[in-house]
Structures are given as C-alpha cells and as structure tokens.
Amino acid sequence: LMTDRNGPIGRLPEHLLVEIFIRIPICEWVQISCVNKHWASIFQGECMWQTAIARNWPSAGFRKRWPGPIPKGSTRRRFQALYVSENLVSSGGDIDELVGHTYLYLKEQLDQPTIPPSSILHGTIIDQFIACGRTGEKAHELASKIWLAVIDNLEENQRTFLLLKHLAQEEFFLPFPYSRPCKVLWRVFDKLFTDFRGRFNQMDYHDALAGAKSRFQPVPSTWLGL
C-alpha cells in the first residue's frame, strides 16, 4: 500500500479506507494503524469497528440494555468480544458476545498487579450471566469454559507460573452455581506440573503436589514426573 497522504491510497475518502482495512487480515491491523496519524485515527474511531462487526458478524445485535457487573464497553470492545467468542472459547459454533466480554474481563483481572480473589472473579462472572438471563446451570457451564480458555491462552512465563500457583493454593467453598468447577482447578494443576515443572524448587513442588493429591485421586503420572 502507498501510505503517502497525497498518493492514490492516501487521497481516498475515509469510508473507502475502512472498506479496504476490514478486508486485510486482522493480524495486520496493529501494523497498519501505525503507518500514519490519519490511519491511526481511523482505528480509534467507531466507524471502523462498526463496519468490521457488520462485515464479520452481520447478525450481531446491539443490546440497548446491558445488565450485570461486567461493562460492555466501546464498539472496538464489542469487536474484540465477538472475535474471542468465535476463535478462543468453544461454544458449539455459536457466537455469544457475552462470552467474549466475560473472557476479556477475566483476562484483564488476572493481568492486574494485585489479583482479586478468584472467588470474587468467579462470582462476578456468574452474576453477569444470570443478569443476562442464563440459568444457574448454564452460567456455571459457561464460566468453566471461560476460565479454561483464559488459562489455556496465558503466556508461558514467570508471571503465569506465579498466577497458577496462586490459583492452586486458593480455597473457597461456595454453593452452586458459585462453586469453582473442578475441571478448572484440574487444568491449573496440569499446567503447573507439565508446562511449568522446571520452575519449581523442590520444596514448592512437593507442597503443590500435596495440594493436588488432597483434591484429586489418583493424580496423573505426568504430575509425578514419571
């Protein structure tokens, strides 16, 4: 693409630039938005994201009311939520914007320097789904999928190791549907003992293994390093 404002591309009206941009692979959008200030302003505006949503998810409605504790955010945020729902969270082929918003919320909270208690995060997620009309059983199921998707998409670094250790050590006992799903805790331990085994010192490893054995029996041989 010619990026000169006086070149053939640069002279195009903004609505045509938007139509060009949304046809370029999403993985290149960040690079395109850095080309010049004009293009950056297009990616910061609402028109770009409204057009992208209409092209990629034409059936996505615009909720006039968004109940619950998790904010809906801007049109750009809506695009991110729809993208997450389609590509990162298994939902049987359905695109559920609420699932995407909840994924983004949980990931951002886990990225905070001081992580809120996972019981608070889990309760907020359950409340959001119930406020939007899901049953307690469905809210529990969706919350499990979101936790698993976020955990599976964490970067493999020291911060993630410390986060997983923190989640493995937390204990809370709340009634259904606020109870933490066993499959989520299983995934936490599984990643610790497979992807992050080499980061443990001997004492911390035995402490973590004892915690795993107190919750799951039998534990997989891979957790034992066999």
Side-chain angles (χ1 to χ4, degrees):
L1 289 177
M2 294 181 65
T3 60
D4 187 347
R5 286 295 298 272
N6 296 316
I9 297 296
R11 290 197 300 268
L12 289 174
E14 185 169 306
H15 73 277
L16 290 182
L17 285 173
V18 168
E19 290 296 333
I20 292 171
F21 293 160
I22 64 174
R23 286 166 171 77
I24 295 172
I26 293 172
C27 61
E28 298 180 21
W29 286 8
V30 172
Q31 183 178 355
I32 293 170
S33 68
C34 295
V35 167
N36 58 49
K37 291 182 179 180
H38 177 53
W39 289 14
S41 70
I42 292 175
F43 278 87
Q44 291 167 2
E46 289 287 291
C47 179
M48 170 73 188
W49 302 104
Q50 290 172 352
T51 306
I53 288 174
R55 181 176 187 271
N56 288 279
W57 304 284
S59 62
F62 285 82
R63 287 175 178 264
K64 294 182 178 179
R65 179 172 174 267
W66 185 266
I70 297 176
K72 183 179 182 181
S74 64
T75 307
R76 179 173 183 167
R77 180 80 167 191
R78 287 197 69 220
F79 178 92
Q80 292 172 329
L82 288 161
Y83 180 87
V84 164
S85 178
E86 183 176 47
N87 295 281
L88 298 182
V89 183
S90 173
S91 55
D94 297 328
I95 305 300
D96 189 336
E97 182 181 344
L98 178 57
V99 168
H101 280 290
T102 309
Y103 175 99
L104 295 173
Y105 163 80
L106 179 58
K107 190 172 189 310
E108 288 169 352
Q109 293 299 310
L110 295 179
D111 283 340
Q112 296 293 324
T114 303
I115 304 166
S118 59
S119 57
I120 300 297
L121 297 177
H122 190 66
T124 301
I125 290 171
I126 296 295
D127 285 343
Q128 179 67 57
F129 281 121
I130 291 175
C132 289
R134 307 301 198 275
T135 64
E137 183 176 352
K138 187 63 176 179
H140 188 77
E141 175 191 340
L142 290 171
S144 299
K145 286 184 176 181
I146 290 164
W147 272 101
L148 293 173
V150 170
I151 289 169
D152 286 344
N153 284 283
L154 292 171
E155 294 183 18
E156 193 169 323
N157 55 31
Q158 181 67 11
R159 193 182 189 288
T160 297
F161 172 61
L162 296 175
L163 169 62
L164 293 175
K165 278 180 61 180
H166 172 76
L167 294 176
Q169 293 166 354
E170 276 193 315
E171 292 190 21
F172 60 89
F173 302 96
L174 295 172
F176 182 85
Y178 294 94
S179 52
R180 181 166 58 178
C182 288
K183 63 176 71 174
V184 172
L185 189 57
W186 176 279
R187 186 69 59 84
V188 168
F189 279 116
D190 192 51
K191 286 187 74 69
L192 276 174
F193 294 131
T194 54
D195 297 347
F196 295 94
R197 174 69 182 274
R199 295 178 184 262
F200 278 108
N201 61 44
Q202 188 172 13
M203 181 177 295
D204 284 349
Y205 168 73
H206 287 297
D207 287 345
L209 187 59
K213 287 180 176 179
S214 70
R215 293 169 174 84
F216 303 105
Q217 283 294 340
V219 298
S221 60
T222 53
W223 293 11
L224 305 172
L226 303 177

